[in-house]
Each structure stands twice: as C-alpha cells, then as structure tokens.
Amino acid sequence: MGPPGAGKGTQGELLARHLEVPRFSTGEMLREARAQGSELGRRAQSYMDAGELVPDEVVLGLIAEALDDTPPTGGFILDGFPRTVAQAQGLDAILDEREAPLDGVVWLNVPEEELVRRLTGRDGSENRTDDEPETVRRRIQVYRDETEPVVRWYARKGLRVIEADGMGSIEEIQSGLRRELAR
Ligand code: ADP
C-alpha cells in the first residue's frame, strides 16, 4: 500500500518476481479492461479519469476472479488493493473462504511534493489519462481520506505492517523490503 506515485507497482513487481508469486494490481486490471473496451472498463473510465475510486464491488469482483485462478497455497501480492475499509472487509471474506489469511502489509511512503513531481513528470512510457496535475492532487487526497485508514485498520487487527521509505533508488528500496520481509 502507499500513495499514488510511491512506487507500489515497481516494487511489487520486483518482489513478486523474487518471491515467485503472482501480483494482482487492480489499477492494471482496470486499465486493461478499458483498453479492451469491456463493459467493466467503460464503467471504470470516468472514475479513473477524475482520480476517484472505482466502486468497491467492481474491484472486489476482479480480485475474487483473479484469486479463483490462483492455487490457494502459493501466496500472492496485492498491489493497489484494498483501498477502502469496505474493500478490506470484502477481501477478508474472500480470503476466509479460501483459508488464505494475509501475512502482512507493506506500506510505502513518500513526501507529497515528491509524489506530485513524479506523477506529473512521468515520461511517455507511462502515459496515463489520470496524470493531469489536478487529477493527481485528487488521487492523493482520496488516498489520504480512504486508503490510509485501511493501514490503521489492519494494524489494529494485529496484522504486521512493514513501513518502508519510498525515497532512494529502486534497488535500495527493494533490498530494504526483502530484508524486512525475511525477518
Ligand atoms: P496509483 O496508485 O498510482 O493511483 P493505480 O494504477 O493503482 O495507480 O490506480 C489508478 C486508478 O485506478 C485509481 O485512481 C482508481 O481510479 C482506480 N483503482 C485502482 N485500484 C482501485 C481500487 N482498489 N479501488 C478503487 N479504484 C481503484
């Protein structure tokens, strides 16, 4: 978990490769659905472009489907999900059924000025329709209002929360994460 621009996708991808587990990113799934022009993609579009969250039941459906196609014992990384307490509760129900509890939360943190700089400065390789400065500010606000409480919710439930500094080189951050996870 972490604010938009913290590097969740980059770090999650490297970690998934290292641990040899699948990574499920709701943001990527939604962008794929949009690119395919599916019903779900069309439904998600206006929310994403406004920097708002897509309705909980949409992303919960995507995650449930992805987990259905995954062996129950192998582990997985969730990236950019859950983003609301309601999503976290829905996820709990899904995981209870599978008897596959979460091991922990990785919380990546980066100062706000740096987030805005990174997101509005992304080069053409990751051209996204939600990288306009005003939308970026809205995404960060939504993160503070809706998603940060999820980290506290998990911490209160006694789940291990690994807080990581998202400043530094990609490699430094990754090796820090692996060290923490191995403890
Ligand atoms: P970032 O974390 O940089 O904003 P993501 O790819 O994770 O990038 O998300 C992009 C957009 O996709 C979000 O602003 C939101 O509209 C939508 N989205 C992704 N994941 C979720 C989720 N779990 N719940 C609701 N909306 C989501």
Side-chain angles (χ1 to χ4, degrees), residues 24-126:
F24 302 120
S25 157
T26 43
E28 280 174 19
M29 291 173 182
L30 291 167
R31 277 188 293 280
E32 264 162 42
R34 284 182 64 162
Q36 286 162 3
S38 69
E39 170 68 36
L40 190 147
R42 274 196 302 277
R43 197 169 158 213
Q45 193 154 332
S46 55
Y47 296 99
M48 297 174 79
D49 288 347
E52 302 294 338
L53 294 179
V54 168
D56 292 333
E57 74 271 13
V58 173
V59 287
L60 277 166
L62 286 173
I63 289 291
E65 215 172 276
L67 289 174
D68 274 344
D69 297 335
T70 307
T73 52
F76 51 82
I77 291 176
L78 301 173
D79 176 346
F81 174 92
R83 259 170 150 96
T84 64
V85 170
Q87 288 179 20
Q89 288 166 335
L91 175 64
D92 265 2
I94 294 170
L95 294 181
D96 272 353
E97 227 168 83
R98 299 166 56 89
E99 297 180 42
L102 295 176
D103 293 318
V105 176
V106 176
W107 190 23
L108 259 187
N109 266 309
V110 168
E112 180 138 350
E113 318 82 71
E114 172 69 8
L115 297 176
V116 176
R117 205 182 59 75
R118 287 185 188 178
L119 291 167
T120 54
R122 271 180 181 166
D123 60 18
S125 64
E126 202 181 337

